[in-house]
């Protein structure tokens, strides 16, 4: 009887505290079919290949991305995850800085990892630029092919939403639907 009571108490305790789930498991789940988790862990170190400084250029602008891996990171009471935290610096052809988040704290960069796509070929990072009322936010897809581990493709797809201010001459911080090829430094 004592063993049965211990098993029941253990089951209740573990169901209340949640469980640790891998990034791969969470990438495969569909809404309504996801495991209850309190922590999503990078058990196979899939995020490590993205960590570091990456540089490239597109349409006369230079892009410098820096990604660090944070373990057990979340926002207030939200689900904790191993995720990338990104920083971005954009300079134009004259060397003038147009955007710079390198000096921001980890929880203030507005550039943080979300999840892998189900096929695990791209890691999605949530990004918010400088003009949120003009839909300067969405997902950045980071793509590294196994045969070229020091090259990464960066693709920004903004959310489809309603602009809340005059955006007639607006351009997103990261070019929309254009691949930026960057090289690991």
């Amino acid at each position: 009887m004592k063993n049965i009571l211990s098993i029941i108490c253990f089951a209740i305790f573990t169901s209340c505290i949640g469980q640790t789930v891998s990034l791969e498991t969470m990438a495969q789940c569909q809404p309504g079919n996801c495991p209850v988790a309190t922590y999503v862990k990078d058990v196979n170190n899939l995020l490590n290949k993205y960590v570091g400084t990456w540089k490239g250029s597109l349409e006369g602008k230079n892009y410098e991305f820096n990604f660090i891996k944070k373990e057990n990171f979340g926002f207030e009471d939200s689900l904790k995850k191993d995720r990338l935290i990104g920083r971005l610096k954009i300079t134009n052809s004259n060397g003038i800085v147009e955007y710079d988040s390198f000096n921001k704290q980890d929880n203030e960069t507005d550039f943080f990892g979300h999840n892998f796509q189900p096929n695990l070929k791209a890691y999605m990072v949530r990004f918010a630029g400088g003009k949120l009322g003009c839909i300067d936010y969405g997902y950045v897809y980071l793509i590294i092919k196994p045969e070229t581990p020091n090259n990464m493709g960066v693709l920004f797809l903004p959310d489809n939403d309603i602009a809340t201010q005059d955006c007639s001459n607006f351009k997103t911080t990261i070019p929309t639907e254009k691949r930026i090829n960057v090289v690991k430094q």
Side-chain angles (χ1 to χ4, degrees):
M1 184 69 166
K2 188 176 181 182
N3 286 342
I4 293 172
L5 186 57
S6 295
I7 292 170
I8 292 170
C9 287
F10 178 75
I12 291 170
F13 176 73
T14 55
S15 67
C16 290
I17 62 169
Q19 64 179 348
T20 298
V21 177
S22 71
L23 283 170
E24 295 93 332
T25 298
M26 290 306 281
Q28 301 306 313
C29 78
Q30 300 295 321
N33 188 23
C34 294
V36 176
T38 55
Y39 178 35
V40 180
K41 184 165 181 54
D42 185 13
V43 295
N44 293 312
N45 297 312
L46 296 178
L47 296 176
N48 292 0
K49 65 184 174 185
Y50 302 96
V51 172
T53 300
W54 301 80
K55 293 182 180 181
S57 59
L58 179 70
E59 298 175 346
K61 293 186 182 184
N62 297 310
Y63 295 85
E64 181 177 350
F65 295 90
N66 181 269
F67 294 102
I68 61 170
K69 179 179 172 179
K70 294 292 277 194
E71 295 181 351
N72 204 16
F73 184 81
F75 300 96
E76 297 176 24
D77 293 334
S78 69
L79 173 68
K80 305 293 188 211
K81 294 181 180 183
D82 291 353
R83 63 176 82 211
L84 296 179
I85 302 296
R87 289 176 172 76
L88 171 61
K89 184 176 187 178
I90 303 171
T91 55
N92 65 23
S93 57
N94 296 323
I96 297 170
V97 176
E98 294 185 355
Y99 183 88
D100 190 355
S101 64
F102 270 67
N103 293 322
K104 291 186 176 185
Q105 297 295 317
D106 292 344
N107 61 343
E108 297 172 347
T109 65
D110 292 323
F111 200 12
F112 55 90
H114 177 67
N115 205 351
F116 278 96
Q117 286 188 310
N119 65 9
L120 303 177
K121 293 186 185 221
Y123 184 66
M124 298 176 293
V125 184
R126 190 82 180 139
F127 175 77
K131 223 175 177 190
L132 300 182
C134 289
I135 314 169
D136 195 14
Y137 53 90
Y139 286 100
V140 174
Y141 292 78
L142 306 177
I143 305 152
I144 298 175
K145 294 181 180 177
E147 61 272 13
T148 55
N150 292 322
N151 296 312
M152 180 167 65
V154 177
L155 179 67
F156 176 60
L157 300 176
D159 285 349
N160 293 321
D161 210 341
I162 298 170
T164 59
Q165 56 189 325
D166 179 17
C167 301
S168 52
N169 293 320
F170 171 73
K171 289 185 179 179
T172 56
T173 302
I174 300 173
T176 301
E177 298 179 12
K178 294 182 181 177
R179 185 180 173 123
I180 303 171
N181 295 310
V182 293
V183 176
K184 193 168 196 174
Q185 303 300 297

